[in-house]
Every structure is written in structure tokens, then in C-alpha cells.
Amino acid sequence: MSEKLLEIKDLEVIYQTDEETVHAVNGISFDLNAGESIGIVGETGAGKTTTALSILRLLPEKTGIVKAGSITMDGVNLLEVPEVEMRDIYRGERISMIFQDPMTSLNPVLRVGEQIAEALIYHNSDHKTKEQIEKRVEETLELVGIPRARKNDFPHQFSGGMKQRVVIAIALACEPDLLIADEPTTALDVTIQAQVLAMMVELRRKLGTALIMITHDLGIVAQVCDKVAVMYAGELVEKGTVEDIFESDKHHPYTDGLFGSIPNLTVKSARLSPIEGLIPDPTDLPKGCKFSPRCPKCMDICKETPPKEYVDGTHCIACHLFGGKA
């Protein structure tokens, strides 16, 4: 668990067109050890998916630009790796991604077994025979709780939860070192969501795969992750271990807002406490702290000066309330 697998440093990503420049990710840094899991939490538009696509270099070719920073895996900067090597070695084999919507991730005219086999055939470095690949397809399906007999079924013959399991099977087929799960349970009902999460925890334990879990749900993070990164307007406003985020009495006001939006079953209240306002326009971000227009604890310095990072062991908070010092 101490071996550093992935390290992202000062990553900055923009989407540039003739009309405007969208500042999607603004200088984020975090790392992940082998076999470890991190949850990236935040509202829609915070830059979570852009971060994931940057790791796999799947940003839109003309408009998505990595302006600064590095993404290092086992000492290799993925931003400098040739495209052929990225496709042959990293995508699918060493790093896999579960995309947001399983309904659109699967090809409707191919059997699910063929879609799982596709990754195995492409990354067949140890020269498996056709029979060995078929056996691996069956094993992977059973790993995610689908009977091997269903490998010849088409996607429309599966429910939403089963489709998501198929997508996870495709991602795990080559036993990657790192799995990126982009809101893998958003489209599922709570019962199926619980099953899929329990299955992912079990698969991580069996395969020793590191995990980046992108989600809106702090409950999922508490259940699945070792570390947490809270993202707002393309920046990490708070990060630390699960214990730091869930048990510490010090939090960024945005993190407090996220906790306030969760129903508390032990307290009777008329309504939840949502965060007022909307996430800022990424083409015109505030000058100082990005959260200042919505922050209930906003001070004059917040509107003008970006906050320094308060560090207490593994717990980091970017907020003027803590003065940038431990």
C-alpha cells in the first residue's frame, strides 16, 4: 500500500474554442498508492470527469488542452507518452474507466461476451488462445455476478444494474492497476446501487486494484474509499483521509455545505440545508476564492486573494479561515 502508483501535480486543463475559454481544472494535485482508493466529490461542473479523462488522455482532440502540470504513473509522465504506447499499454490494460452511463457505453448490436473479449484480444500480450479468451470472458462475467451462459445475450436483454455490471466486467477484464469509476451508480436504484458498490469493494480486495471513485455522494465515499478529495470549480478545496473528512472538526465551508445537504436520520428537521447559489461560470471565475460568492463565512480577503493551504498531517484545506498554517 506504500508504493505510489499515480501522482497528479498542478494539473491545469482548459477547453478552448474561438468564442470562449473554459477553465475546467485549475492546478489540482493528489496522489494514489497501489491498491488504494480515493473519492473525488463535488457538484456537477466541478471538473471531476475532466480530471479522469486527462489521466487517460481522452480529452476532446481540438478543444481539450492540458495547459500545465504532470500525471505520473510509476515514474512515467502520461502526458509525454506517445499515443501508440498510451493505447497499447495504458488504456484498458493498466488503467480502465467505467463511464457514467452504461446505456450508451455498450454497443447494442454486439453480444456482451464479444465486447468483453474485445479488450482481451487487443491487449493479448501473453498470446492467449481463442479458448483461453472465452474462458476469461466467462470468469469475468461471473466475477461481477452474471451467469456465464449470458455471454451471448445482447445489451437490451439486461436491466440497468446488469448493464452496469457488464461495463465493470469490461473494465476489469485485463486486471488493470488503476480503475476510474465515473459515477458508476448514478443511474441505478438504491438496492442495485448497494449491490454494485459491495461488488466493487470485493473486487478491489481480490484484485488489489487502485480506485478513483468520482461521485456526488459522500455516503458512497465513506463506504468505498480510503482518501477523499473535495472539488469545487476546478480546484481541490479539501483533501485527506476518510477519517480527516468525516471526523475532523475543521472543514472548508463548501465541505460543510455538502454535509448539510445530506439527510440526518437521527435529527428531525423540516428541510435540508442546501448550499445557496450556483457553481461559478468556468469562463469567468471569481478573482479570489472560487467559493466566495456562495460562502456564508466570506471575508473581504476571500474576494481578492486565493487562499493558501492549511495542512494538518494528511488533512489539507484551502481556506482563509485557517490562515494557511497548521
Side-chain angles (χ1 to χ4, degrees):
M1 287 281 285
S2 61
E3 184 190 344
K4 196 171 284 189
L5 177 72
L6 182 79
E7 186 173 17
I8 294 178
K9 267 190 177 177
D10 305 320
L11 182 67
E12 194 175 330
V13 183
I14 61 169
Y15 294 108
Q16 194 162 42
T17 66
D18 294 337
E19 297 176 0
E20 60 187 12
T21 300
V22 174
H23 299 275
V25 176
N26 305 304
I28 70 165
S29 300
F30 67 88
D31 56 58
L32 191 63
N33 295 333
E36 199 172 42
S37 60
I38 186 169
I40 303 179
V41 192
E43 292 169 282
T44 298
K48 305 184 301 295
T49 299
T50 296
T51 303
L53 294 176
S54 301
I55 294 169
L56 281 165
R57 294 221 328 240
L58 290 175
L59 293 167
E61 192 175 340
K62 304 291 184 187
T63 55
I65 302 164
V66 178
K67 274 196 75 181
S70 62
I71 302 170
T72 308
M73 187 173 192
D74 288 338
V76 178
N77 188 354
L78 298 182
L79 300 178
E80 298 173 354
V81 170
E83 176 61 26
V84 174
E85 190 178 328
M86 195 73 200
R87 190 172 61 238
D88 290 352
I89 297 172
Y90 290 96
R91 289 192 204 118
E93 185 166 354
R94 296 212 61 202
I95 309 171
S96 283
M97 185 165 175
I98 302 167
F99 293 94
Q100 279 191 21
D101 187 2
M103 315 298 173
T104 56
S105 298
L106 294 170
N107 189 327
V109 299
L110 290 180
R111 302 176 195 277
V112 296
E114 293 175 300
Q115 298 189 54
I116 298 169
E118 194 172 13
L120 292 166
I121 292 166
Y122 188 84
H123 297 290
N124 194 10
S125 55
D126 51 355
H127 308 293
K128 288 186 178 75
T129 63
K130 189 177 178 182
E131 290 74 23
Q132 288 173 318
I133 288 172
E134 282 298 309
K135 187 182 177 186
R136 177 63 185 152
V137 167
E138 292 170 357
E139 287 171 355
T140 308
L141 278 173
E142 293 196 332
L143 195 66
V144 297
I146 298 175
R148 62 176 63 200
R150 298 205 63 184
K151 69 178 181 181
N152 292 320
D153 288 354
F154 290 93
H156 72 269
Q157 294 174 273
F158 292 85
S159 67
M162 294 287 267
K163 280 195 185 94
Q164 189 64 289
R165 287 169 183 261
V166 171
V167 171
I168 293 170
I170 293 170
L172 292 173
C174 295
E175 298 190 6
D177 299 317
L178 173 63
L179 178 64
I180 303 170
D182 190 358
E183 298 183 29
T185 59
T186 299
L188 308 177
D189 64 63
V190 288
T191 309
I192 304 301
Q193 177 175 302
Q195 290 176 6
V196 169
L197 287 175
M199 181 194 71
M200 289 182 72
V201 170
E202 179 63 17
L203 292 175
R204 266 194 64 225
R205 189 184 64 76
K206 278 184 183 176
L207 303 176
T209 303
L211 173 69
I212 296 176
M213 171 70 78
I214 295 170
T215 182
H216 297 276
D217 193 338
L218 282 163
I220 289 175
V221 169
Q223 187 178 342
V224 174
C225 299
D226 303 314
K227 299 199 289 195
V228 187
V230 181
M231 199 164 186
Y232 182 80
E235 296 181 354
L236 294 184
V237 295
E238 186 170 355
K239 60 186 177 181
T241 63
V242 168
E243 290 78 14
D244 291 333
I245 304 301
F246 284 86
E247 295 176 10
S248 173
D249 56 353
K250 290 187 176 78
H251 287 302
H252 191 281
Y254 179 62
T255 310
D256 281 332
L258 292 179
F259 279 118
S261 303
I262 302 171
N264 189 337
L265 299 179
T266 62
V267 178
K268 188 175 181 180
S269 57
R271 56 178 295 155
L272 298 176
S273 305
I275 303 168
E276 298 295 331
L278 298 170
I279 202 163
D281 180 355
T283 63
D284 184 24
L285 291 170
K287 187 177 177 183
C289 172
K290 307 295 185 288
F291 188 59
S292 59
R294 303 172 70 186
C295 183
K297 299 175 181 177
C298 180
M299 303 175 286
D300 289 339
I301 190 174
C302 303
K303 298 172 184 176
E304 297 296 326
T305 311
K308 291 180 181 178
E309 209 170 53
Y310 163 89
V311 181
D312 182 9
T314 54
H315 195 187
C316 304
I317 308 171
C319 182
H320 285 296
L321 286 173
F322 305 104
K325 297 178 189 174

